[in-house]
Amino acid sequence: MKKRIIPFFAVITLLFCMFSSSAAAVGDVIDFTRDSIDLYLNQSYQLTMKNNAPVISYTSSDPDIVSVSHTGMIKAETAGSSILTATDKEGNKATCTVHVWDGTAPEKVVLEIQSLSMTEGAYYTLKAKVLPEDVDDGRVYFSSSDETVAKVDSKGTIKALKVGTAVITAESSSAAVSTKCMVKVVSKSGRKYSVSLNGTLYSAAGEKKANMRVEIANANESFETTTDVDGKFYFDDIVRGSYILRVFKSEKTTTPTAMGQLSVGSHDMNMSCIISDKDLIVLYQNEEEGTEKLQDIILEKNTLNLQIGESYDMSFRVRPAHAILPAMKNISSNEKVAKVDIDGRITAVAEGTAVITFSTSDKSITKSCKVTVSAVNSNTYSWIIITVEFSLLLLIVIVFFIAYSKFKYKREREEGVVNPKYGRRVK
């Protein structure tokens, strides 16, 4: 009889462990989001826990070096190291080490952009700077919130891997000083009106400039290449719009030799770039523009659902297909809910609805998209899984006890322990 019961208890134990591990994944495990923290004198930093695990108390091994409040706000008092301990209501503990340094502390990390849209497989290098200029350690450390969507290396070069959103954090030598850039990766197949650019770089005297780095960039993406021995360069898969064109003496140079404005049309373009007094003169040659008159503009989407903080780049189609897409005037009916920039990028700001209107400069063609913005809710799916697992566990336990009661009654009846006529034990 005992041998038959053992498998039942084994199944129950296994299911209980599965449920416990799922529940722990949501918030029962107590651990700091980072093992060590670097601060400078008088800087403060808010401690955070993985999965927002609840903490009832924080302690510092040396309050003279690092003090901590009941909410987990720490302050660097003097140079040295201290171990911070967090305790939950069950008595579970987690620790992290805080190092406090002397010297000129970083005050700010500056990024050239705070949001970025990239296509799958594209690269973009974030340019970051630590202020003030005389900071003791001016290095910047980059990290990604989701490396399956976008990876970033130690130099700030981002590689877009798959469709999704990731936040790139640029942190100084102090954990208290950092800034973020939101990266949205879109499908390359969904990229519309991409063109190629052929160019030649000259000096003002007519000399072809070889082995120079050429970069074009806007608020969303950046492309770079190097001129060949004839001063020629080439860009592929460029979306129409306005770009800043920069020229550098070499790949390692960070200060541009010259820069100017570049306007990319709807068709492949040939151009010449002339460096004159540190400015760029861009001449377009044999640009294959469409000649048909624009009759209609079609939005990629007329309704759009976004979560707070998300962005979406609206794409357009024109009729007839070879007509030129003019500059569009874009307006939001409620900028407190959703904003739109001149390139058609919609950004969700707060819960609610807004209507984004796209129109030509003469307002002869007007299109609109209704945007619904909702709050981010990341834990709902996890709790649904836990609820289902718990329900299954409860059902299995009930079935087990019913089956076990029947089995036990039958066994005792066969052994003569139970009188079948009266349904009670025989003394």
Side-chain angles (χ1 to χ4, degrees):
M1 177 178 175
K2 290 183 179 180
K3 291 182 179 180
R4 296 185 180 182
I5 296 175
I6 290 175
F8 286 101
F9 281 107
V11 172
I12 296 301
T13 302
L14 178 61
L15 290 170
F16 180 79
C17 290
M18 289 173 56
F19 171 73
S20 298
S21 62
S22 297
V26 173
D28 291 343
V29 173
I30 179 172
D31 196 8
F32 285 101
T33 53
R34 54 197 304 166
D35 297 326
S36 64
I37 298 169
D38 290 329
L39 297 176
Y40 286 76
L41 292 179
N42 299 317
Q43 287 187 331
S44 298
Y45 180 81
Q46 177 63 54
L47 295 173
T48 54
M49 310 301 295
K50 290 181 180 178
N51 303 314
N52 296 317
V55 175
I56 61 171
S57 68
Y58 295 92
T59 58
S60 172
S61 64
D62 195 335
D64 291 334
I65 294 177
V66 180
S67 59
V68 59
S69 70
H70 69 283
T71 60
M73 178 66 73
I74 60 176
K75 183 178 180 181
E77 306 288 354
T78 59
S81 298
S82 179
I83 297 176
L84 277 295
T85 302
T87 307
D88 65 11
K89 62 182 180 179
E90 281 79 26
N92 300 313
K93 298 181 184 295
T95 61
C96 75
T97 303
V98 180
H99 303 283
V100 180
W101 306 97
D102 279 324
T104 303
E107 296 177 2
K108 190 176 184 180
V109 177
V110 180
L111 285 178
E112 58 176 349
I113 54 175
Q114 282 69 49
S115 61
L116 178 65
S117 179
M118 302 176 66
T119 55
E120 293 173 294
Y123 288 84
Y124 185 90
T125 301
L126 285 175
K127 295 178 176 62
K129 187 177 183 180
V130 179
L131 298 176
E133 299 283 353
D134 61 344
V135 64
D136 282 1
D137 186 351
R139 288 175 296 179
V140 179
Y141 303 88
F142 296 93
S143 61
S144 172
S145 65
D146 191 342
E147 292 194 340
T148 64
V149 173
K151 276 188 174 183
V152 61
D153 64 17
S154 60
K155 296 180 180 179
T157 300
I158 304 168
K159 181 180 180 181
L161 298 178
K162 71 174 186 179
V163 175
T165 302
V167 177
I168 304 299
T169 300
E171 184 177 292
S172 70
S173 56
S174 167
V177 182
S178 65
T179 189
K180 299 181 185 297
C181 175
M182 179 172 286
V183 176
K184 178 184 178 183
V185 180
V186 298
S187 172
K188 193 167 186 176
S189 61
R191 194 176 177 89
K192 292 181 174 59
Y193 296 114
S194 61
V195 301
S196 62
L197 302 178
N198 292 281
T200 305
L201 184 63
Y202 296 90
S203 68
E207 176 191 2
K208 295 179 179 180
K209 305 296 290 185
N211 301 317
M212 298 191 76
R213 179 160 62 95
V214 180
E215 177 191 79
I216 62 172
N218 58 18
N220 296 325
E221 48 194 354
S222 172
F223 304 87
E224 64 179 48
T225 187
T226 303
T227 58
D228 63 17
V229 292
D230 294 320
K232 295 185 179 298
F233 59 90
Y234 176 77
F235 290 105
D236 191 22
D237 198 25
I238 309 298
V239 173
R240 67 171 297 278
S242 297
Y243 292 83
I244 298 294
L245 177 61
R246 300 183 182 95
V247 176
F248 301 83
K249 288 184 178 180
S250 67
E251 292 184 3
K252 296 181 179 180
T253 307
T254 57
T255 302
T257 299
M259 57 191 300
Q261 290 284 339
L262 172 66
S263 180
V264 178
S266 302
H267 298 272
D268 293 350
M269 298 166 56
N270 296 319
M271 59 188 181
S272 297
C273 299
I274 302 175
I275 303 176
S276 175
D277 297 326
K278 291 192 175 181
D279 290 327
L280 275 177
I281 300 173
V282 182
L283 303 177
Y284 301 103
Q285 303 169 349
N286 303 321
E287 186 175 347
E288 299 176 2
E289 293 283 0
T291 57
E292 297 183 68
K293 184 179 179 181
L294 177 68
Q295 297 177 5
D296 195 12
I297 293 174
I298 302 169
L299 300 184
E300 184 180 22
K301 290 188 177 182
N302 295 317
T303 60
L304 188 60
N305 294 312
L306 296 174
Q307 292 184 339
I308 295 174
E310 284 188 329
S311 296
Y312 180 82
D313 295 309
M314 182 61 73
S315 295
F316 309 87
R317 288 189 291 117
V318 295
R319 289 183 178 173
H322 296 291
I324 301 172
L325 177 65
M328 304 290 290
K329 185 177 181 180
N330 311 324
I331 300 174
S332 171
S333 65
N334 190 345
E335 291 195 343
K336 294 182 178 180
V337 173
K339 293 183 178 181
V340 61
D341 64 17
I342 59 174
D343 295 319
R345 189 179 198 205
I346 303 169
T347 302
V349 179
E351 287 187 83
T353 58
V355 176
I356 308 298
T357 302
F358 303 87
S359 59
T360 55
S361 57
D362 60 0
K363 296 186 179 181
S364 60
I365 300 176
T366 299
K367 301 291 180 176
S368 62
C369 174
K370 182 179 180 181
V371 180
T372 302
V373 180
S374 59
V376 178
N377 187 359
S378 60
N379 290 328
T380 302
Y381 184 70
S382 297
W383 282 111
I384 291 174
I385 293 176
I386 290 175
T387 303
V388 172
E389 288 183 349
F390 181 80
S391 301
L392 288 174
L393 174 61
L394 184 61
L395 178 62
I396 292 173
V397 170
I398 293 173
V399 171
F400 165 74
F401 279 109
I402 292 174
Y404 177 71
S405 298
K406 290 183 178 180
F407 167 80
K408 185 177 180 181
Y409 179 84
K410 181 179 179 181
R411 186 74 174 178
E412 291 179 342
R413 181 177 176 181
E414 291 174 351
E415 295 175 354
V417 179
V418 176
N419 189 325
K421 182 176 181 180
Y422 300 104
R424 60 176 181 267
R425 294 181 179 276
V426 179
K427 296 182 180 179

